[in-house]
Amino acid sequence: MPGMRSASIAFFFNVGSRYEDDAVAGISHFIEHMLFKGSEHYPSAKAISEAIEGVGGNFNGSTGKELTTYTARVPGEYLSVVLQAMADMIRHPLFDPLEIEKERGVIIEELSSTQDDPQEWVNLLVDEAMWPGLPLGRDDAGTIEVVSHLQREQMLEYMSTFYRPNSLVLSIAGNIEHEQVIEQVKRLFDDWERGDHPHWRECFPPLNVPSVRMIQKDTEQTNLCLATLGTAYASLDYYPLLLINGILGDGMSSRLFQSIREEQGLAYDIGSYVNSYYETGSLVVSAGVDPSRAQETIRATIAELTRLCHEPVPADELERTKAYVRGGIFLGLEGTQQMASWLGSQECLYNCVWDVDEVIAKIDAVTIEDVQRVAQKCFAPEWLRLAVIGPDKTRRADQFKKLLAGA
């Protein structure tokens, strides 16, 4: 990207919370934190920060269900400095016992703070409802009980297993000289040995499980998440579902926003999003409503899902949604960080990189019939799951169950 002044680096490891056994739930996230706490040549968190921020860069890490990422954005001329620092973090972390104990407290506070934010908490709760007792239903950061007992030796063993060159995609975009980057990467990583990469267990959402999860909390609003079946990211149904999400709740022209907020005034905040994983996924509608209007909002949301199943989407609405989704892709690839993320995540998840035009062609190829077929498959009543956090008494769960069943 020769017109850019910056360069972005993204390390993608094929490991995340779904790879963890229950006994070490949260270990991927704990390791991600520890890599910023000191390495062989940068022996403290301060030394790492100064190496990157001292040349005008910024950096971060994140742990998801299937990927753990370490990213940095830096003025292009300092790429080699930052790449060297990040390579040392990843290959030679110290895992100092004192730092482990300090970070354990930080992560426990992070887990505790989730319960102070009902909007965030309800999005975790609906995953539990969709995948009860399964890794995809857990908080990526684990649980306080498990994090309190994770040991240094467990982290080192887990990291040795999953942090291998054949588990890594390194994506770099921006103001760079390609051959120089290749040479530096060879110097930093050529002596790193491959290793076996354990698989995760399949997490298809189970049927015949409780469809409603409720937590009573003294809040002004009732926070709702209504989830239903989604698709795997490599499924042929992925792009129809992406457009269904656009039609339903992504953006201010979406049906849910127009109907539930603008026309009925039931909620200030309502929208939808898609989770897609290797073999499964979900579509989630989230809203914050006055407690007295929770039932009405759920009923109105289900009505919109049902409408997509029974009524073909008008051609002009589908074309507007395609334009909206296309625009989101184009606008999201203008920066070096977004480009590095696009390239690296696709290589990790698909073992190839889709050209943007190929993705746009897949979106444009979706038909009215595709939308209705996928809606009928994903929005069947047996897949509906509801999470509620607010002042509502938990005994109202039976009322909500009846709503999900169409009563």
Side-chain angles (χ1 to χ4, degrees), residues 142-176:
T143 66
I144 291 174
E145 181 182 5
V146 173
V147 168
S148 298
H149 296 96
L150 287 174
Q151 299 299 308
R152 181 177 189 269
E153 293 73 21
Q154 291 174 296
M155 296 183 208
L156 293 174
E157 181 181 356
Y158 191 88
M159 188 171 180
S160 176
T161 300
F162 288 102
Y163 279 61
R164 293 288 182 173
N166 49 306
S167 307
L168 169 66
V169 169
L170 173 54
S171 179
I172 302 174
N175 182 14
I176 61 174

PDB file of all heavy atoms in Angstrom, residues 142-176:
ATOM      1  N   GLY A 142     -12.623 -17.079  30.233  1.00  0.00           N
ATOM      2  CA  GLY A 142     -12.743 -18.162  31.200  1.00  0.00           C
ATOM      3  C   GLY A 142     -13.648 -17.797  32.360  1.00  0.00           C
ATOM      4  O   GLY A 142     -14.550 -16.969  32.239  1.00  0.00           O
ATOM      5  N   THR A 143     -13.397 -18.429  33.490  1.00  0.00           N
ATOM      6  CA  THR A 143     -14.157 -18.176  34.709  1.00  0.00           C
ATOM      7  C   THR A 143     -13.208 -17.794  35.836  1.00  0.00           C
ATOM      8  O   THR A 143     -12.021 -18.149  35.818  1.00  0.00           O
ATOM      9  CB  THR A 143     -14.952 -19.416  35.145  1.00  0.00           C
ATOM     10  OG1 THR A 143     -14.019 -20.458  35.530  1.00  0.00           O
ATOM     11  CG2 THR A 143     -15.846 -19.930  34.018  1.00  0.00           C
ATOM     12  N   ILE A 144     -13.734 -17.069  36.803  1.00  0.00           N
ATOM     13  CA  ILE A 144     -12.904 -16.658  37.943  1.00  0.00           C
ATOM     14  C   ILE A 144     -12.341 -17.879  38.655  1.00  0.00           C
ATOM     15  O   ILE A 144     -11.156 -17.905  39.042  1.00  0.00           O
ATOM     16  CB  ILE A 144     -13.730 -15.783  38.908  1.00  0.00           C
ATOM     17  CG1 ILE A 144     -14.045 -14.438  38.243  1.00  0.00           C
ATOM     18  CG2 ILE A 144     -12.988 -15.575  40.234  1.00  0.00           C
ATOM     19  CD1 ILE A 144     -14.967 -13.544  39.050  1.00  0.00           C
ATOM     20  N   GLU A 145     -13.150 -18.907  38.813  1.00  0.00           N
ATOM     21  CA  GLU A 145     -12.706 -20.111  39.525  1.00  0.00           C
ATOM     22  C   GLU A 145     -11.492 -20.742  38.855  1.00  0.00           C
ATOM     23  O   GLU A 145     -10.505 -21.080  39.512  1.00  0.00           O
ATOM     24  CB  GLU A 145     -13.854 -21.124  39.592  1.00  0.00           C
ATOM     25  CG  GLU A 145     -13.493 -22.397  40.339  1.00  0.00           C
ATOM     26  CD  GLU A 145     -14.617 -23.407  40.349  1.00  0.00           C
ATOM     27  OE1 GLU A 145     -15.660 -23.159  39.698  1.00  0.00           O
ATOM     28  OE2 GLU A 145     -14.468 -24.448  41.009  1.00  0.00           O
ATOM     29  N   VAL A 146     -11.545 -20.891  37.523  1.00  0.00           N
ATOM     30  CA  VAL A 146     -10.436 -21.537  36.813  1.00  0.00           C
ATOM     31  C   VAL A 146      -9.226 -20.618  36.739  1.00  0.00           C
ATOM     32  O   VAL A 146      -8.082 -21.050  36.993  1.00  0.00           O
ATOM     33  CB  VAL A 146     -10.879 -21.980  35.404  1.00  0.00           C
ATOM     34  CG1 VAL A 146      -9.685 -22.495  34.602  1.00  0.00           C
ATOM     35  CG2 VAL A 146     -11.952 -23.055  35.499  1.00  0.00           C
ATOM     36  N   VAL A 147      -9.445 -19.347  36.397  1.00  0.00           N
ATOM     37  CA  VAL A 147      -8.324 -18.402  36.280  1.00  0.00           C
ATOM     38  C   VAL A 147      -7.569 -18.284  37.604  1.00  0.00           C
ATOM     39  O   VAL A 147      -6.342 -18.128  37.630  1.00  0.00           O
ATOM     40  CB  VAL A 147      -8.837 -17.020  35.805  1.00  0.00           C
ATOM     41  CG1 VAL A 147      -7.753 -15.955  35.952  1.00  0.00           C
ATOM     42  CG2 VAL A 147      -9.302 -17.105  34.360  1.00  0.00           C
ATOM     43  N   SER A 148      -8.267 -18.411  38.716  1.00  0.00           N
ATOM     44  CA  SER A 148      -7.640 -18.311  40.038  1.00  0.00           C
ATOM     45  C   SER A 148      -6.630 -19.425  40.287  1.00  0.00           C
ATOM     46  O   SER A 148      -5.750 -19.278  41.149  1.00  0.00           O
ATOM     47  CB  SER A 148      -8.706 -18.356  41.146  1.00  0.00           C
ATOM     48  OG  SER A 148      -9.587 -17.266  41.039  1.00  0.00           O
ATOM     49  N   HIS A 149      -6.736 -20.531  39.534  1.00  0.00           N
ATOM     50  CA  HIS A 149      -5.885 -21.689  39.813  1.00  0.00           C
ATOM     51  C   HIS A 149      -4.954 -22.073  38.669  1.00  0.00           C
ATOM     52  O   HIS A 149      -4.204 -23.041  38.792  1.00  0.00           O
ATOM     53  CB  HIS A 149      -6.758 -22.899  40.170  1.00  0.00           C
ATOM     54  CG  HIS A 149      -7.540 -22.707  41.437  1.00  0.00           C
ATOM     55  ND1 HIS A 149      -8.852 -22.264  41.463  1.00  0.00           N
ATOM     56  CD2 HIS A 149      -7.181 -22.875  42.738  1.00  0.00           C
ATOM     57  CE1 HIS A 149      -9.267 -22.188  42.713  1.00  0.00           C
ATOM     58  NE2 HIS A 149      -8.276 -22.542  43.507  1.00  0.00           N
ATOM     59  N   LEU A 150      -4.969 -21.345  37.552  1.00  0.00           N
ATOM     60  CA  LEU A 150      -4.060 -21.678  36.455  1.00  0.00           C
ATOM     61  C   LEU A 150      -2.609 -21.481  36.891  1.00  0.00           C
ATOM     62  O   LEU A 150      -2.262 -20.481  37.518  1.00  0.00           O
ATOM     63  CB  LEU A 150      -4.363 -20.804  35.236  1.00  0.00           C
ATOM     64  CG  LEU A 150      -5.645 -21.131  34.463  1.00  0.00           C
ATOM     65  CD1 LEU A 150      -5.890 -20.089  33.380  1.00  0.00           C
ATOM     66  CD2 LEU A 150      -5.583 -22.525  33.852  1.00  0.00           C
ATOM     67  N   GLN A 151      -1.771 -22.439  36.526  1.00  0.00           N
ATOM     68  CA  GLN A 151      -0.376 -22.422  36.934  1.00  0.00           C
ATOM     69  C   GLN A 151       0.562 -22.110  35.768  1.00  0.00           C
ATOM     70  O   GLN A 151       0.226 -22.342  34.604  1.00  0.00           O
ATOM     71  CB  GLN A 151       0.011 -23.786  37.534  1.00  0.00           C
ATOM     72  CG  GLN A 151      -0.790 -24.153  38.774  1.00  0.00           C
ATOM     73  CD  GLN A 151      -0.604 -23.152  39.899  1.00  0.00           C
ATOM     74  OE1 GLN A 151       0.528 -22.824  40.275  1.00  0.00           O
ATOM     75  NE2 GLN A 151      -1.710 -22.638  40.433  1.00  0.00           N
ATOM     76  N   ARG A 152       1.740 -21.594  36.118  1.00  0.00           N
ATOM     77  CA  ARG A 152       2.737 -21.232  35.113  1.00  0.00           C
ATOM     78  C   ARG A 152       3.071 -22.421  34.208  1.00  0.00           C
ATOM     79  O   ARG A 152       3.171 -22.283  32.988  1.00  0.00           O
ATOM     80  CB  ARG A 152       4.001 -20.727  35.810  1.00  0.00           C
ATOM     81  CG  ARG A 152       5.113 -20.281  34.865  1.00  0.00           C
ATOM     82  CD  ARG A 152       6.291 -19.724  35.651  1.00  0.00           C
ATOM     83  NE  ARG A 152       7.272 -19.093  34.784  1.00  0.00           N
ATOM     84  CZ  ARG A 152       8.326 -19.739  34.243  1.00  0.00           C
ATOM     85  NH1 ARG A 152       8.499 -21.042  34.485  1.00  0.00           N
ATOM     86  NH2 ARG A 152       9.160 -19.090  33.452  1.00  0.00           N
ATOM     87  N   GLU A 153       3.234 -23.607  34.792  1.00  0.00           N
ATOM     88  CA  GLU A 153       3.606 -24.786  34.013  1.00  0.00           C
ATOM     89  C   GLU A 153       2.521 -25.134  32.990  1.00  0.00           C
ATOM     90  O   GLU A 153       2.819 -25.565  31.875  1.00  0.00           O
ATOM     91  CB  GLU A 153       3.847 -25.988  34.946  1.00  0.00           C
ATOM     92  CG  GLU A 153       5.060 -25.859  35.845  1.00  0.00           C
ATOM     93  CD  GLU A 153       4.852 -24.854  36.986  1.00  0.00           C
ATOM     94  OE1 GLU A 153       3.676 -24.562  37.324  1.00  0.00           O
ATOM     95  OE2 GLU A 153       5.863 -24.344  37.513  1.00  0.00           O
ATOM     96  N   GLN A 154       1.254 -24.947  33.382  1.00  0.00           N
ATOM     97  CA  GLN A 154       0.156 -25.203  32.437  1.00  0.00           C
ATOM     98  C   GLN A 154       0.219 -24.237  31.260  1.00  0.00           C
ATOM     99  O   GLN A 154       0.003 -24.627  30.111  1.00  0.00           O
ATOM    100  CB  GLN A 154      -1.191 -25.055  33.145  1.00  0.00           C
ATOM    101  CG  GLN A 154      -1.495 -26.136  34.171  1.00  0.00           C
ATOM    102  CD  GLN A 154      -2.772 -25.830  34.932  1.00  0.00           C
ATOM    103  OE1 GLN A 154      -2.852 -24.834  35.653  1.00  0.00           O
ATOM    104  NE2 GLN A 154      -3.779 -26.683  34.767  1.00  0.00           N
ATOM    105  N   MET A 155       0.528 -22.972  31.551  1.00  0.00           N
ATOM    106  CA  MET A 155       0.616 -21.977  30.476  1.00  0.00           C
ATOM    107  C   MET A 155       1.760 -22.297  29.531  1.00  0.00           C
ATOM    108  O   MET A 155       1.612 -22.217  28.298  1.00  0.00           O
ATOM    109  CB  MET A 155       0.799 -20.584  31.070  1.00  0.00           C
ATOM    110  CG  MET A 155      -0.374 -20.103  31.900  1.00  0.00           C
ATOM    111  SD  MET A 155      -0.102 -18.414  32.493  1.00  0.00           S
ATOM    112  CE  MET A 155      -1.061 -18.443  34.000  1.00  0.00           C
ATOM    113  N   LEU A 156       2.917 -22.658  30.084  1.00  0.00           N
ATOM    114  CA  LEU A 156       4.070 -22.958  29.235  1.00  0.00           C
ATOM    115  C   LEU A 156       3.802 -24.183  28.365  1.00  0.00           C
ATOM    116  O   LEU A 156       4.161 -24.208  27.179  1.00  0.00           O
ATOM    117  CB  LEU A 156       5.309 -23.191  30.105  1.00  0.00           C
ATOM    118  CG  LEU A 156       5.833 -21.962  30.862  1.00  0.00           C
ATOM    119  CD1 LEU A 156       6.976 -22.357  31.797  1.00  0.00           C
ATOM    120  CD2 LEU A 156       6.294 -20.874  29.887  1.00  0.00           C
ATOM    121  N   GLU A 157       3.155 -25.189  28.932  1.00  0.00           N
ATOM    122  CA  GLU A 157       2.838 -26.393  28.165  1.00  0.00           C
ATOM    123  C   GLU A 157       1.828 -26.082  27.060  1.00  0.00           C
ATOM    124  O   GLU A 157       1.986 -26.533  25.914  1.00  0.00           O
ATOM    125  CB  GLU A 157       2.299 -27.475  29.095  1.00  0.00           C
ATOM    126  CG  GLU A 157       1.967 -28.774  28.377  1.00  0.00           C
ATOM    127  CD  GLU A 157       1.400 -29.835  29.308  1.00  0.00           C
ATOM    128  OE1 GLU A 157       1.343 -29.586  30.539  1.00  0.00           O
ATOM    129  OE2 GLU A 157       0.994 -30.897  28.809  1.00  0.00           O
ATOM    130  N   TYR A 158       0.810 -25.313  27.402  1.00  0.00           N
ATOM    131  CA  TYR A 158      -0.223 -24.955  26.427  1.00  0.00           C
ATOM    132  C   TYR A 158       0.390 -24.116  25.304  1.00  0.00           C
ATOM    133  O   TYR A 158       0.099 -24.349  24.117  1.00  0.00           O
ATOM    134  CB  TYR A 158      -1.327 -24.177  27.142  1.00  0.00           C
ATOM    135  CG  TYR A 158      -2.577 -23.966  26.341  1.00  0.00           C
ATOM    136  CD1 TYR A 158      -3.601 -24.905  26.354  1.00  0.00           C
ATOM    137  CD2 TYR A 158      -2.760 -22.810  25.578  1.00  0.00           C
ATOM    138  CE1 TYR A 158      -4.777 -24.708  25.625  1.00  0.00           C
ATOM    139  CE2 TYR A 158      -3.927 -22.605  24.855  1.00  0.00           C
ATOM    140  CZ  TYR A 158      -4.930 -23.555  24.882  1.00  0.00           C
ATOM    141  OH  TYR A 158      -6.082 -23.352  24.165  1.00  0.00           O
ATOM    142  N   MET A 159       1.231 -23.183  25.671  1.00  0.00           N
ATOM    143  CA  MET A 159       1.852 -22.332  24.660  1.00  0.00           C
ATOM    144  C   MET A 159       2.783 -23.140  23.759  1.00  0.00           C
ATOM    145  O   MET A 159       2.820 -22.948  22.537  1.00  0.00           O
ATOM    146  CB  MET A 159       2.616 -21.195  25.332  1.00  0.00           C
ATOM    147  CG  MET A 159       3.123 -20.184  24.320  1.00  0.00           C
ATOM    148  SD  MET A 159       3.805 -18.718  25.076  1.00  0.00           S
ATOM    149  CE  MET A 159       4.263 -17.825  23.592  1.00  0.00           C
ATOM    150  N   SER A 160       3.530 -24.067  24.353  1.00  0.00           N
ATOM    151  CA  SER A 160       4.424 -24.907  23.563  1.00  0.00           C
ATOM    152  C   SER A 160       3.656 -25.753  22.552  1.00  0.00           C
ATOM    153  O   SER A 160       4.137 -26.026  21.455  1.00  0.00           O
ATOM    154  CB  SER A 160       5.229 -25.817  24.495  1.00  0.00           C
ATOM    155  OG  SER A 160       6.043 -26.698  23.761  1.00  0.00           O
ATOM    156  N   THR A 161       2.434 -26.130  22.921  1.00  0.00           N
ATOM    157  CA  THR A 161       1.607 -26.947  22.034  1.00  0.00           C
ATOM    158  C   THR A 161       1.035 -26.127  20.884  1.00  0.00           C
ATOM    159  O   THR A 161       1.078 -26.544  19.719  1.00  0.00           O
ATOM    160  CB  THR A 161       0.449 -27.581  22.830  1.00  0.00           C
ATOM    161  OG1 THR A 161       0.983 -28.409  23.855  1.00  0.00           O
ATOM    162  CG2 THR A 161      -0.452 -28.401  21.911  1.00  0.00           C
ATOM    163  N   PHE A 162       0.503 -24.953  21.185  1.00  0.00           N
ATOM    164  CA  PHE A 162      -0.271 -24.206  20.189  1.00  0.00           C
ATOM    165  C   PHE A 162       0.494 -23.082  19.502  1.00  0.00           C
ATOM    166  O   PHE A 162       0.099 -22.651  18.424  1.00  0.00           O
ATOM    167  CB  PHE A 162      -1.544 -23.647  20.836  1.00  0.00           C
ATOM    168  CG  PHE A 162      -2.563 -24.698  21.144  1.00  0.00           C
ATOM    169  CD1 PHE A 162      -2.740 -25.173  22.431  1.00  0.00           C
ATOM    170  CD2 PHE A 162      -3.347 -25.237  20.134  1.00  0.00           C
ATOM    171  CE1 PHE A 162      -3.691 -26.142  22.717  1.00  0.00           C
ATOM    172  CE2 PHE A 162      -4.294 -26.212  20.404  1.00  0.00           C
ATOM    173  CZ  PHE A 162      -4.467 -26.668  21.702  1.00  0.00           C
ATOM    174  N   TYR A 163       1.543 -22.566  20.107  1.00  0.00           N
ATOM    175  CA  TYR A 163       2.297 -21.475  19.493  1.00  0.00           C
ATOM    176  C   TYR A 163       3.462 -22.075  18.707  1.00  0.00           C
ATOM    177  O   TYR A 163       4.583 -22.200  19.196  1.00  0.00           O
ATOM    178  CB  TYR A 163       2.791 -20.494  20.552  1.00  0.00           C
ATOM    179  CG  TYR A 163       1.742 -19.502  20.999  1.00  0.00           C
ATOM    180  CD1 TYR A 163       0.562 -19.919  21.596  1.00  0.00           C
ATOM    181  CD2 TYR A 163       1.914 -18.131  20.814  1.00  0.00           C
ATOM    182  CE1 TYR A 163      -0.411 -19.021  22.000  1.00  0.00           C
ATOM    183  CE2 TYR A 163       0.945 -17.219  21.217  1.00  0.00           C
ATOM    184  CZ  TYR A 163      -0.210 -17.673  21.810  1.00  0.00           C
ATOM    185  OH  TYR A 163      -1.179 -16.770  22.202  1.00  0.00           O
ATOM    186  N   ARG A 164       3.158 -22.492  17.491  1.00  0.00           N
ATOM    187  CA  ARG A 164       4.123 -23.091  16.578  1.00  0.00           C
ATOM    188  C   ARG A 164       4.003 -22.387  15.228  1.00  0.00           C
ATOM    189  O   ARG A 164       2.959 -21.806  14.911  1.00  0.00           O
ATOM    190  CB  ARG A 164       3.836 -24.585  16.415  1.00  0.00           C
ATOM    191  CG  ARG A 164       4.080 -25.404  17.678  1.00  0.00           C
ATOM    192  CD  ARG A 164       5.567 -25.532  17.957  1.00  0.00           C
ATOM    193  NE  ARG A 164       5.830 -26.357  19.137  1.00  0.00           N
ATOM    194  CZ  ARG A 164       7.044 -26.721  19.513  1.00  0.00           C
ATOM    195  NH1 ARG A 164       8.099 -26.316  18.805  1.00  0.00           N
ATOM    196  NH2 ARG A 164       7.216 -27.441  20.594  1.00  0.00           N
ATOM    197  N   PRO A 165       5.051 -22.430  14.400  1.00  0.00           N
ATOM    198  CA  PRO A 165       4.984 -21.704  13.122  1.00  0.00           C
ATOM    199  C   PRO A 165       3.886 -22.215  12.208  1.00  0.00           C
ATOM    200  O   PRO A 165       3.316 -21.446  11.428  1.00  0.00           O
ATOM    201  CB  PRO A 165       6.378 -21.922  12.520  1.00  0.00           C
ATOM    202  CG  PRO A 165       6.919 -23.123  13.214  1.00  0.00           C
ATOM    203  CD  PRO A 165       6.358 -23.093  14.591  1.00  0.00           C
ATOM    204  N   ASN A 166       3.557 -23.518  12.304  1.00  0.00           N
ATOM    205  CA  ASN A 166       2.474 -24.050  11.471  1.00  0.00           C
ATOM    206  C   ASN A 166       1.091 -23.736  12.030  1.00  0.00           C
ATOM    207  O   ASN A 166       0.083 -24.128  11.455  1.00  0.00           O
ATOM    208  CB  ASN A 166       2.625 -25.560  11.277  1.00  0.00           C
ATOM    209  CG  ASN A 166       2.860 -26.316  12.560  1.00  0.00           C
ATOM    210  OD1 ASN A 166       3.784 -26.001  13.308  1.00  0.00           O
ATOM    211  ND2 ASN A 166       2.049 -27.315  12.838  1.00  0.00           N
ATOM    212  N   SER A 167       1.048 -23.013  13.157  1.00  0.00           N
ATOM    213  CA  SER A 167      -0.214 -22.517  13.709  1.00  0.00           C
ATOM    214  C   SER A 167      -0.361 -21.013  13.505  1.00  0.00           C
ATOM    215  O   SER A 167      -1.304 -20.415  14.012  1.00  0.00           O
ATOM    216  CB  SER A 167      -0.286 -22.806  15.218  1.00  0.00           C
ATOM    217  OG  SER A 167      -0.049 -24.161  15.490  1.00  0.00           O
ATOM    218  N   LEU A 168       0.584 -20.401  12.794  1.00  0.00           N
ATOM    219  CA  LEU A 168       0.683 -18.938  12.728  1.00  0.00           C
ATOM    220  C   LEU A 168       0.566 -18.427  11.304  1.00  0.00           C
ATOM    221  O   LEU A 168       1.146 -19.003  10.376  1.00  0.00           O
ATOM    222  CB  LEU A 168       2.030 -18.499  13.318  1.00  0.00           C
ATOM    223  CG  LEU A 168       2.446 -17.030  13.117  1.00  0.00           C
ATOM    224  CD1 LEU A 168       1.512 -16.088  13.864  1.00  0.00           C
ATOM    225  CD2 LEU A 168       3.889 -16.826  13.571  1.00  0.00           C
ATOM    226  N   VAL A 169      -0.186 -17.360  11.152  1.00  0.00           N
ATOM    227  CA  VAL A 169      -0.142 -16.553   9.929  1.00  0.00           C
ATOM    228  C   VAL A 169       0.308 -15.158  10.328  1.00  0.00           C
ATOM    229  O   VAL A 169      -0.247 -14.561  11.256  1.00  0.00           O
ATOM    230  CB  VAL A 169      -1.517 -16.482   9.238  1.00  0.00           C
ATOM    231  CG1 VAL A 169      -1.514 -15.431   8.132  1.00  0.00           C
ATOM    232  CG2 VAL A 169      -1.901 -17.840   8.663  1.00  0.00           C
ATOM    233  N   LEU A 170       1.322 -14.651   9.658  1.00  0.00           N
ATOM    234  CA  LEU A 170       1.833 -13.299   9.892  1.00  0.00           C
ATOM    235  C   LEU A 170       1.423 -12.437   8.698  1.00  0.00           C
ATOM    236  O   LEU A 170       1.787 -12.719   7.560  1.00  0.00           O
ATOM    237  CB  LEU A 170       3.355 -13.327  10.045  1.00  0.00           C
ATOM    238  CG  LEU A 170       4.078 -11.986  10.142  1.00  0.00           C
ATOM    239  CD1 LEU A 170       3.508 -11.116  11.242  1.00  0.00           C
ATOM    240  CD2 LEU A 170       5.571 -12.212  10.362  1.00  0.00           C
ATOM    241  N   SER A 171       0.636 -11.419   8.977  1.00  0.00           N
ATOM    242  CA  SER A 171       0.111 -10.557   7.919  1.00  0.00           C
ATOM    243  C   SER A 171       0.628  -9.135   8.125  1.00  0.00           C
ATOM    244  O   SER A 171       0.487  -8.573   9.216  1.00  0.00           O
ATOM    245  CB  SER A 171      -1.427 -10.573   7.973  1.00  0.00           C
ATOM    246  OG  SER A 171      -1.974  -9.730   6.986  1.00  0.00           O
ATOM    247  N   ILE A 172       1.222  -8.561   7.090  1.00  0.00           N
ATOM    248  CA  ILE A 172       1.794  -7.217   7.175  1.00  0.00           C
ATOM    249  C   ILE A 172       1.328  -6.423   5.960  1.00  0.00           C
ATOM    250  O   ILE A 172       1.378  -6.908   4.826  1.00  0.00           O
ATOM    251  CB  ILE A 172       3.339  -7.264   7.227  1.00  0.00           C
ATOM    252  CG1 ILE A 172       3.795  -8.098   8.429  1.00  0.00           C
ATOM    253  CG2 ILE A 172       3.916  -5.856   7.296  1.00  0.00           C
ATOM    254  CD1 ILE A 172       5.294  -8.319   8.487  1.00  0.00           C
ATOM    255  N   ALA A 173       0.846  -5.213   6.201  1.00  0.00           N
ATOM    256  CA  ALA A 173       0.336  -4.390   5.114  1.00  0.00           C
ATOM    257  C   ALA A 173       0.739  -2.942   5.339  1.00  0.00           C
ATOM    258  O   ALA A 173       0.856  -2.485   6.478  1.00  0.00           O
ATOM    259  CB  ALA A 173      -1.186  -4.495   5.026  1.00  0.00           C
ATOM    260  N   GLY A 174       0.942  -2.198   4.236  1.00  0.00           N
ATOM    261  CA  GLY A 174       1.216  -0.774   4.360  1.00  0.00           C
ATOM    262  C   GLY A 174       2.434  -0.335   3.577  1.00  0.00           C
ATOM    263  O   GLY A 174       2.753  -0.878   2.519  1.00  0.00           O
ATOM    264  N   ASN A 175       3.139   0.625   4.142  1.00  0.00           N
ATOM    265  CA  ASN A 175       4.301   1.227   3.500  1.00  0.00           C
ATOM    266  C   ASN A 175       5.521   0.343   3.766  1.00  0.00           C
ATOM    267  O   ASN A 175       6.326   0.604   4.643  1.00  0.00           O
ATOM    268  CB  ASN A 175       4.513   2.633   4.062  1.00  0.00           C
ATOM    269  CG  ASN A 175       5.678   3.349   3.409  1.00  0.00           C
ATOM    270  OD1 ASN A 175       6.177   2.927   2.376  1.00  0.00           O
ATOM    271  ND2 ASN A 175       6.117   4.437   4.028  1.00  0.00           N
ATOM    272  N   ILE A 176       5.640  -0.754   2.997  1.00  0.00           N
ATOM    273  CA  ILE A 176       6.680  -1.757   3.253  1.00  0.00           C
ATOM    274  C   ILE A 176       7.388  -2.128   1.953  1.00  0.00           C
ATOM    275  O   ILE A 176       6.863  -1.939   0.855  1.00  0.00           O
ATOM    276  CB  ILE A 176       6.085  -3.032   3.877  1.00  0.00           C
ATOM    277  CG1 ILE A 176       5.051  -3.676   2.931  1.00  0.00           C
ATOM    278  CG2 ILE A 176       5.437  -2.735   5.233  1.00  0.00           C
ATOM    279  CD1 ILE A 176       4.517  -5.021   3.405  1.00  0.00           C
TER     280      ILE A 176
END
